[in-house]
Amino acid sequence: LLLALAALALRLLRREGLDRPRLLDALLPIGLAFFLRALLLDYQSADYQMFLSQWAAAFRDGGGFAAVKLPIGNYNAPYLYFLAAISYLPIPDLYLIKLFSILFDVVLAWGGFRLVRHFAPQSPNRPLLCFCLLLLLPTVILNGAFWGQCDALYGALTLHALACALEGRNRSSLLLLGIAFSFKLQTVFVLPLWGGLWLLRRVRFRELLWFPAAYAATCVPALLLGKPLGDILGVYFGQAAEYSGYLNLNAPNMYALIPHGAEVNTALAARLGILAAFALAAAVLAALDELQAEARRAALPAVEVEPFAQESVDFDTFCKSDFRAVKVKACESVKKSAKLLRFILDDGSGTDRQILSGIAMYYKPEELVGKTLVAIINLPPRKMMGQESCGMLLSAVHTEHGEEKLHL
């Protein structure tokens, strides 16, 4: 089974477009990663002996999936489905539990590969390096292969959720994030990232609803198997209460700086820490919102909108105007006029058309040669400065930052 997972790792790299030489380069680090895991498979941690092995035995004795409705363990529904499924297999629970986590070690490395490739698309070696390093990280190896923990499950799903978000696949991103949350409560620590994406208009509000929808979908099988809704929804509340007496479980957080033996009001310190985390997340989101607002204001010119015309034009009258795309063959200033430009235009008829337009204060003649403009060509000819103008060029004038501008 370990060899199959190693083959899966290579298959995923091949799926991502790695060529044969780079796959050969990856054989040694991937082989080393799985060799190290093989050395650790027989170890039984205290967590496994006191909890995981007891839960697996309870599912086997309770009839597999029929035991999902029973109050077994303090993990959420998806992991209980896994424990129920392995109760039917003639393989030691220790190996199956660890192999399940190792499977998601591979998925985790794949997620890292996708993220690095997104940020370094021109470097084919960096994503591969990230893939191999994630498989070889001591914390990753120890978490699954040594302790039999399942943190790689939500970690892997979260990385893929972020990769999907960066690729613009928001629905897939929120679905994966919801499934990650159904495995581990710690997913809440990365939720502000999607709040930031929403404020940056990268994710729509209605797309965020896929997150609770995915979580709810993972609970449906447990409900159908007879597990009370309160038991399903109460798992994370129970976990929070169980560990409320701890400030630091060997995690690198601010509480690690408290001197050993110091008397601390744990409940108060925990509440303050949670409030500080929420305040920090809110401050970051508010800053992102303000940056986005400033960007929108900067992108919109200070245009003064003139009053709209009150008189309507019926459609039949509008259709009488013959609009044509015309190419500017020549353009020059009209002598003794500060406003008029004389255009020689190709309107597709084979005969050059002359139109005079009073836009000299906005454009230099040489700027307009070669451009394609829109003209109404069935207006009656009109004499201007002794020259005949056969039509009208369409343009619009507006005031921006107090300066009058024209768009031709």
Side-chain angles (χ1 to χ4, degrees):
L1 289 174
L2 269 180
L3 288 176
L5 292 177
L8 173 64
L10 293 171
R11 176 60 184 162
L12 290 173
L13 290 174
R14 182 62 179 161
R15 181 184 181 276
E16 294 297 335
L18 258 68
D19 53 23
R20 187 178 182 85
R22 288 193 173 84
L23 286 176
L24 292 175
D25 291 340
L27 279 177
L28 179 60
I30 290 176
L32 176 60
F34 280 91
F35 174 73
L36 294 173
R37 285 168 169 82
L39 297 178
L40 303 174
L41 284 182
D42 288 319
Y43 175 77
Q44 296 187 18
S45 67
D47 268 357
Y48 174 79
Q49 293 175 346
M50 291 187 294
F51 302 112
L52 292 173
S53 64
Q54 304 299 321
W55 299 345
F59 276 103
R60 185 172 291 105
D61 296 340
F65 282 102
V68 169
K69 63 184 177 183
L70 302 176
I72 300 173
N74 68 341
Y75 276 15
N76 216 351
Y79 200 80
L80 299 184
Y81 304 149
F82 162 70
L83 292 176
I86 66 172
S87 67
Y88 298 97
L89 301 177
I91 302 174
D93 298 330
L94 177 66
Y95 294 155
L96 290 173
I97 288 171
K98 290 189 174 184
L99 286 170
F100 188 54
S101 295
I102 293 171
L103 166 64
F104 277 89
D105 288 350
V106 176
V107 180
L108 178 78
W110 179 27
F113 181 100
R114 291 179 63 195
L115 284 176
V116 173
R117 184 184 57 187
H118 176 83
F119 290 108
Q122 304 304 321
S123 175
N125 293 325
R126 290 182 184 179
L128 178 59
L129 179 62
C130 177
F131 186 96
C132 295
L133 286 177
L134 281 173
L135 281 180
L136 288 167
L137 274 180
T139 50
V140 176
I141 295 174
L142 293 173
N143 188 269
F146 191 59
W147 292 312
Q149 295 295 310
C150 60
D151 295 279
L153 276 71
Y154 88 93
L157 293 170
T158 300
L159 288 188
H160 282 280
L162 184 55
C164 287
L166 293 172
E167 294 167 2
R169 297 162 56 199
N170 295 336
R171 182 181 301 181
S172 298
S173 172
L174 272 302
L175 285 172
L176 288 170
L177 195 66
I179 297 171
F181 179 74
S182 72
F183 273 106
K184 278 280 189 173
L185 177 61
Q186 288 91 324
T187 306
V188 299
F189 295 130
V190 297
L191 286 183
L193 283 174
W194 276 261
L197 291 172
W198 172 63
L199 289 174
L200 293 171
R201 305 299 190 268
R202 296 282 297 274
V203 175
R204 294 179 225 175
F205 181 79
R206 67 172 179 268
E207 290 172 329
L208 295 175
L209 299 178
W210 286 101
F211 172 81
Y215 172 73
T218 65
C219 300
V220 170
L223 286 171
L224 296 177
L225 290 167
K227 197 171 187 67
L229 180 62
D231 289 355
I232 298 172
L233 300 180
V235 169
Y236 288 156
F237 293 103
Q239 290 180 1
E242 182 178 354
Y243 296 104
S244 61
Y246 299 91
L247 293 178
N248 181 281
L249 290 171
N250 298 320
N253 59 30
M254 294 297 295
Y255 297 122
L257 301 177
I258 299 175
H260 180 70
E263 293 186 7
V264 179
N265 186 329
T266 302
L268 177 60
R271 292 191 185 96
L272 290 175
I274 293 171
L275 288 174
F278 273 105
L280 178 60
V284 170
L285 293 177
L288 286 173
D289 187 44
E290 181 59 28
L291 287 173
Q292 183 69 6
E294 288 181 5
R296 287 196 299 270
R297 289 193 293 268
L300 292 174
V303 176
E304 296 179 20
V305 180
E306 295 183 6
F308 292 102
Q310 298 299 313
E311 185 179 355
S312 299
V313 177
D314 62 83
F315 186 72
D316 291 336
T317 301
F318 173 78
C319 289
K320 292 178 182 179
S321 300
D322 190 352
F323 294 89
R324 296 294 175 99
V326 294
K327 188 87 167 181
V328 180
K329 298 177 66 176
C331 182
E332 62 182 11
S333 300
V334 176
K335 294 180 180 179
K336 299 181 180 180
S337 174
K339 295 182 178 180
L340 291 176
L341 294 180
R342 174 176 172 268
F343 290 84
I344 302 299
L345 304 166
D346 179 2
D347 60 6
S349 65
T351 303
D352 290 343
R353 178 178 295 274
Q354 176 176 284
I355 292 180
L356 277 65
S357 182
I359 61 171
M361 62 185 296
Y362 302 105
Y363 291 98
K364 296 178 180 179
E366 59 269 20
E367 294 176 343
L368 298 171
V369 176
K371 290 187 176 294
T372 299
L373 308 176
V374 177
I376 301 176
I377 63 170
N378 61 339
L379 294 174
R382 179 185 176 190
K383 285 277 188 177
M384 304 172 69
M385 297 295 292
Q387 301 192 50
E388 193 173 70
S389 178
C390 301
M392 176 186 294
L393 295 174
L394 296 188
S395 62
V397 177
H398 71 276
T399 302
E400 184 177 326
H401 297 294
E403 179 184 356
E404 189 176 80
K405 295 187 177 182
L406 178 137
H407 290 279
L408 188 60

